[in-house]
Amino acid sequence: MKALNNTIFHNSTKDTLKKISPAAVLYSSLKGISSETRASIRISAESRYRDNTWDLSTEYPDLPPSSVKMHFHCVTFKDGSNITMPEHESYLYSVKEYCYSLIVDPPSSHPKWSTLCISLKKGIRLLLRFMQENKITKFCDLNNLDIENFLELTSATKNKSGGEITNRTLRARIYGLSWLYEQSEKITSGLKVWPLLESASEAQWAFESAQKALPRLFRGTIEMPDHVAASLITCALNDLKLADTILNIKALLKEHVYKRTHIKKIRPDGGYYNTTKINSFPWASVGLPNNGLRALEARFYSACYVLIAMFTGMRFHEIAHIKIGKINNWKKETITTNDGDIPLYFLISKTNKFQAAPTQYLWQTLPLVEQVLDAMERCFASRYTNGSSYLFTGTQGRISSSSINSNLKKFVTTHNIEHGGCTWNLASHQFRKKFSRVMIRQGLGLIALQDQLKHFDIETTKVYGDINIYSELQQEKFLLSEEIYKEIISNQQPIIGGGAEEIINYRQIFFGMTTEDKNIFLRDLPKKAIIEQLDDGMCMYRPQKALCGGNKLNCRPADCNNSIMPVLGLKKTLLWRASENKRLLEFFTKDHLKTAHIKLRIIEINKLLKQLDEHTEA
């Protein structure tokens, strides 16, 4: 299995525009910029500030145009109007200014442009509806009471389906509000109050306010039974042979001569009229109903998708990104072992799951998939000559997820693939989980599976591979964390770090408890924060309080509320690090990036040394 370089790239839209539209003038802030000047600002190669759709499809050619267009008219109100209408000019003014700030000075997490386009239809839209109903015209006019009412209304609104309101539903409803607050100082009338009350994040508020809270690693994708998977593969392999049938029918259609015959028909009143009869293609002769070729192509299309998805574990958008031509989509390598030469086969495509722009990777697969690629390119050659470069081509470039899911449902209905007496409700993402389970059964390791699935977090891979593996590892983590907490809290060993004060408070509470209460208290702590070894100390990792963003290389132990460092024997280590950093600072005098990083580390070490000295004096 090829190694995957798990690096997350944050290419901001501003940088993209500089490369593609060097003539574009982007102001760092629109405060004080006149309406006339704003109107002429070029947002992208296709759009200016005055437009009500900001189209960045030129800047992001590898993404579907629909996902990189920001439509302001999608912000609608209950009366059917939207913010682009004259009566809502004040809302459009604020929203455009906010969206512009996302381009020139994005939030610290650098979300993808396609993600920002989606967010406009979520939290911002609901907040603006609330403002319109309560006659609030500017974000800056919202106060804590308004936010409290808005969140209460948001959490109480029923689902259209009538089901329970989960934390994921609520998180989708308020998606993007934290960015609105983060960008508040960059716009004229920004939000002045935190939009989530006492919650630290959108996820936390959603978890606390939901009727049903789903775990972080919960996956809603239904598990595909083995017999369904076997039936799908068998049917897909049989339908792969339809390529020749489709090509033969297309050849007959091309040869068929359509003759028009004029016929005189008598009316009941004795008059007559002329009509035209066309000798249609004899569909019955090829065993199809009238114009049945389209349905046959869809069935073949689905069969190809089933085989690629089942034998690679690729996501929908990764399959949709496959280009035509062997040079673009297929690679064969040979490795030499003691048993001889072993051929390896790879499908080439792109993923944009965690990248701002799609990035090319390899997915190992079976040689059978090469036959699928060949069959598709032969069968749909006419589509590719019309300008489409995607193997799974649709009406607007590559195929849409709704289209393929619709075809997959027809595929199982056609072949009568059932489970429990009902037609199996097949969806594109089920193949990914099934592939993972099969590979784990065959002995594939989690690291290799992570590489194939292109996961950046192996914890996700554990869930895809085998839920029992994940559960066992997680239980081990809980037990280990409980032991570490017991050791830290039950003794009086001096500690420093950003989380030291919290642990000291725990010690005071713990000291007065009964034995039974102590055991309950210790068991509960790992559920709130798994504790892990980190460098010389430990980390109570809690995402809402972490300063590192999940990357241990960014650890700031002196400031972060998750950090604990035992004092004993630490001073000598910190003093040595301080001296080493000063030496490196002198060595890299001309390298400004390195010196900036070293200075930050020196600040951290000095803070820890200060805490250490205060502890010693006490």
Side-chain angles (χ1 to χ4, degrees), residues 93-242:
Y93 184 91
S94 297
V95 171
K96 276 194 172 183
E97 203 171 44
Y98 160 67
C99 293
Y100 183 81
S101 75
L102 296 173
I103 294 176
V104 297
D105 191 2
S108 55
S109 58
H110 287 266
K112 297 183 289 186
W113 178 251
S114 54
T115 302
L116 295 172
C117 291
I118 293 170
S119 72
L120 190 64
K121 305 173 187 177
K122 304 285 186 178
I124 304 298
R125 177 163 64 178
L126 286 182
L127 182 61
L128 286 167
R129 283 184 180 180
F130 173 83
M131 290 169 64
Q132 192 252 353
E133 289 170 13
N134 291 275
K135 296 181 171 54
I136 301 171
T137 57
K138 297 179 180 179
F139 292 129
C140 61
D141 292 335
L142 288 163
N143 56 38
N144 282 318
L145 182 59
D146 295 325
I147 293 297
E148 186 176 348
N149 291 335
F150 164 70
L151 292 177
E152 185 177 343
L153 179 66
T154 301
S155 61
T157 303
K158 293 182 179 180
N159 271 337
K160 291 181 180 179
S161 63
E164 287 182 301
I165 300 174
T166 68
N167 52 321
R168 296 190 178 182
T169 302
L170 291 184
R171 191 173 181 183
R173 290 179 182 178
I174 60 165
Y175 191 55
L177 290 186
S178 57
W179 293 331
L180 180 64
Y181 179 78
E182 187 175 344
Q183 301 294 101
S184 61
E185 296 301 321
K186 304 168 188 177
I187 61 180
T188 306
S189 56
L191 192 61
K192 301 301 181 186
V193 294
W194 176 239
L196 303 167
L197 298 179
E198 297 178 359
S199 301
S201 66
E202 292 172 5
Q204 184 184 345
W205 175 82
F207 193 87
E208 293 168 349
S209 306
Q211 293 175 353
K212 181 180 180 181
L214 301 175
R216 183 175 69 89
L217 290 167
F218 173 82
R219 293 289 180 269
T221 304
I222 300 170
E223 176 72 19
M224 183 191 295
D226 287 347
H227 74 89
V228 170
S231 298
L232 283 169
I233 292 172
T234 302
C235 295
L237 286 171
N238 288 332
D239 282 356
L240 193 61
K241 302 169 187 175
L242 290 174

Side-chain angles (χ1 to χ4, degrees), residues 357-417:
T359 305
Q360 184 169 288
Y361 288 112
L362 301 177
W363 281 262
Q364 191 170 348
T365 189
L366 303 178
L368 168 69
V369 173
E370 185 178 15
Q371 298 176 33
V372 177
L373 302 178
D374 288 337
M376 285 198 72
E377 292 199 26
R378 286 191 300 112
C379 201
F380 300 117
S382 59
R383 298 187 187 184
Y384 307 135
T385 55
N386 290 334
S388 177
S389 61
Y390 292 104
L391 186 72
F392 286 87
T393 182
T395 53
Q396 290 186 349
R398 68 185 202 192
I399 194 172
S400 66
S401 59
S402 59
S403 176
I404 197 64
N405 278 311
S406 175
N407 285 340
L408 288 173
K409 285 173 172 52
K410 291 175 184 175
F411 186 82
V412 294
T413 302
T414 300
H415 293 289
N416 196 29
I417 299 174

